[in-house]
Amino acid sequence: MISKKFPEFVATFLEYGGYGKPFLNYYFNHSKDSDWLDYFLILKLVWKREYPKALREIDRVLKRVRKNKTLTYFLLAEKLALLSRLDTEQAISLYKQLKYGFSKIPKTARNVVATVMIGVHAELQSNEDMHEFRTWSKQYLEHNPTRVFLELGMARRKAISGNLDMAKELFLDAFEIARSIPHPGGMSDSLNDAAWYLREYDSEFSLKLAQKCLYIDGQYYEKFNGVINEFDTYHEVLKLTKVECLCENAMILYSIFELIQETAKGYLYKRYEGMLKECLKFITDLEVSSYRSELALIEYLRSRISNITAASNKTGIARHRLRGLLNGKTQTVRGETLRKIITGLKIEVDPLNDPYPIVNEWNKHSDR
């Protein structure tokens, strides 16, 4: 027979987010209740970012534990958090269900459910069907894990409305509260959201926040599944601040993606497909030594070479070879030739907009 205090212990370690994993492992090894063991397995799936599998497990377990109200609402809280990432329409439906039936939720589960509802509302608040979850009880304002997401919700609203100074202050407040717990997810979300929403307002400050966020992820998380979102933000901030670092970041990102469990790759690739495809352009291919002379490359070279004789003198490439490149008669161009053009003409390569052959050859011998 499981202790009546057991759900309270579970609610306590949930306050630490992913940092509560040692508690989870302890209870997992000492609990003999199969229903709670299933819940712990679901938490492990969530923390590994295996969201679709975790959602399927929640639905399976919910059918069996309806009489255990506390566990039911713990599971519904996790389901709401997952649906906010996977299916907005279903998330809104479950959010409404929990909001209107909140008074029926067992006391032990209320803080857990309230924290998730506040976080989901902050994430989906732009949807007109998302009515605010009002914290009429003072206990939620005094409950630090809940306060983190309250501050985040207010920060996002201020950012969306254009009050970025206040948003910045609220994001940093949320981070400090999360750090005091400590709550790794809250710290990461606060810094990541701040970097995202402030990236065009204060790009250099956003860069520092994005870098700090990745540092914290590396400090607290064992698996790579949980850092793709933060790398996505870092990628976007780099586009505004340090374009020259995009190539290095892309190679790191793809190396990480290769190490992610297959069960999580599908969801992550679908969500970040645009960024991952864009990153392909920035990954150096050392095996390629020649390229097809396509129109985009020809037009690029024409825009950089106005005087063939002068370009020949600066690059050491014969005039007839340069002429063949510019008039399109040359079918392929060697990588060495492109490197000579980049170096000799002192071209400042823009990896975001320049043709792939130029970017790839620039990457091979860049000393940035």
Side-chain angles (χ1 to χ4, degrees), residues 194-204 206-207 233 236-237 240-241:
W196 177 263
Y197 282 106
L198 302 175
R199 67 190 188 282
E200 294 182 356
Y201 170 70
D202 190 342
S203 58
E204 292 298 330
S206 289
L207 179 62
T233 297
E236 293 299 321
V237 175
L240 298 170
T241 52

Side-chain angles (χ1 to χ4, degrees), residues 285-294 297 301 321 325 330-339 355-362 364-365:
D285 188 344
L286 297 173
E287 302 299 321
V288 174
S289 59
S290 63
Y291 307 87
R292 291 186 61 185
S293 186
E294 297 180 341
L297 179 59
L301 293 174
R321 293 192 182 280
L325 278 175
T330 301
Q331 298 297 309
T332 60
V333 56
R334 294 170 59 195
E336 183 182 358
T337 300
L338 293 177
R339 291 198 300 274
Y356 174 74
I358 296 293
V359 175
N360 197 49
E361 292 305 315
W362 172 70
K364 286 181 182 180
H365 292 273

Side-chain angles (χ1 to χ4, degrees), residues 88-359:
T88 300
E89 188 174 329
Q90 285 193 47
I92 293 172
S93 176
L94 180 55
Y95 175 89
K96 289 179 177 178
Q97 176 187 330
L98 293 171
K99 181 176 183 292
Y100 295 127
F102 193 79
S103 61
K104 299 177 182 178
I105 298 176
K107 185 178 179 181
T108 305
R110 284 187 186 179
N111 274 346
V112 174
V113 176
T115 299
V116 173
M117 290 180 68
I118 289 166
V120 169
H121 178 267
E123 187 176 345
L124 303 179
Q125 59 187 296
S126 59
N127 192 300
E128 60 183 15
D129 291 328
M130 285 294 288
H131 301 296
E132 185 176 0
F133 174 75
R134 298 192 179 279
T135 53
W136 60 86
S137 174
K138 190 177 180 182
Q139 74 180 85
Y140 302 121
L141 299 176
E142 296 174 346
H143 183 243
N144 277 346
T146 306
R147 280 184 61 209
V148 171
F149 295 99
L150 276 172
E151 296 279 336
L152 272 177
M154 290 189 288
R156 288 167 181 159
R157 284 196 291 275
K158 294 297 182 182
I160 291 169
S161 68
N163 190 345
L164 296 174
D165 285 324
M166 180 58 71
K168 179 179 177 180
E169 185 177 326
L170 290 167
F171 280 129
L172 295 181
D173 283 348
F175 169 73
E176 291 300 334
I177 297 169
R179 184 164 63 172
S180 71
I181 298 172
H183 191 298
M187 287 189 278
S188 182
D189 285 352
S190 300
L191 294 174
N192 189 63
D193 281 10
W196 177 263
Y197 282 106
L198 302 175
R199 67 190 188 282
E200 294 182 356
Y201 170 70
D202 190 342
S203 58
E204 292 298 330
F205 183 64
S206 289
L207 179 62
K208 292 177 182 178
L209 293 176
Q211 290 170 333
K212 186 170 184 176
C213 181
L214 288 173
Y215 174 82
I216 286 174
D217 282 354
Q219 184 179 8
Y220 286 102
Y221 293 112
E222 299 173 356
K223 302 293 184 181
F224 291 115
N225 304 27
V227 302
I228 300 298
N229 186 48
E230 287 78 2
F231 266 101
D232 180 44
T233 297
Y234 184 51
H235 177 80
E236 293 299 321
V237 175
L238 283 177
K239 286 160 70 172
L240 298 170
T241 52
K242 290 189 174 182
V243 174
E244 68 275 11
C245 293
L246 282 169
C247 304
E248 178 185 353
N249 185 58
M251 287 187 281
I252 293 172
L253 182 58
Y254 259 86
S255 297
I256 288 173
F257 199 76
E258 288 302 311
L259 296 172
I260 290 174
Q261 295 96 327
E262 290 298 326
T263 49
K265 271 187 180 177
Y267 158 74
L268 291 170
Y269 187 84
K270 183 178 180 181
R271 182 166 184 177
Y272 300 107
E273 182 178 4
M275 176 196 57
L276 290 168
K277 285 183 175 179
E278 187 174 68
C279 281
L280 283 174
K281 182 178 178 180
F282 307 131
I283 296 177
T284 307
D285 188 344
L286 297 173
E287 302 299 321
V288 174
S289 59
S290 63
Y291 307 87
R292 291 186 61 185
S293 186
E294 297 180 341
L295 182 59
L297 179 59
I298 293 170
E299 290 182 345
Y300 178 87
L301 293 174
R302 285 174 180 170
S303 70
R304 267 51 177 194
I305 300 174
S306 57
N307 186 307
I308 292 179
T309 299
S312 177
N313 291 334
K314 291 178 180 178
T315 62
I317 302 170
R319 286 183 297 173
H320 73 278
R321 293 192 182 280
L322 286 174
R323 191 175 293 110
L325 278 175
L326 299 181
N327 63 25
K329 290 183 178 180
T330 301
Q331 298 297 309
T332 60
V333 56
R334 294 170 59 195
E336 183 182 358
T337 300
L338 293 177
R339 291 198 300 274
K340 286 181 177 180
I341 292 173
I342 293 168
T343 303
L345 301 183
K346 298 180 180 178
I347 294 175
E348 293 186 5
V349 175
D350 177 1
L352 283 172
N353 299 302
D354 291 352
Y356 174 74
I358 296 293
V359 175

Side-chain angles (χ1 to χ4, degrees), residues 40-54:
F40 297 150
L41 286 172
I42 289 166
L43 287 182
K44 287 188 173 186
L45 290 173
V46 171
W47 290 345
K48 290 192 293 185
R49 301 300 198 269
E50 296 185 35
Y51 296 146
K53 185 176 179 180

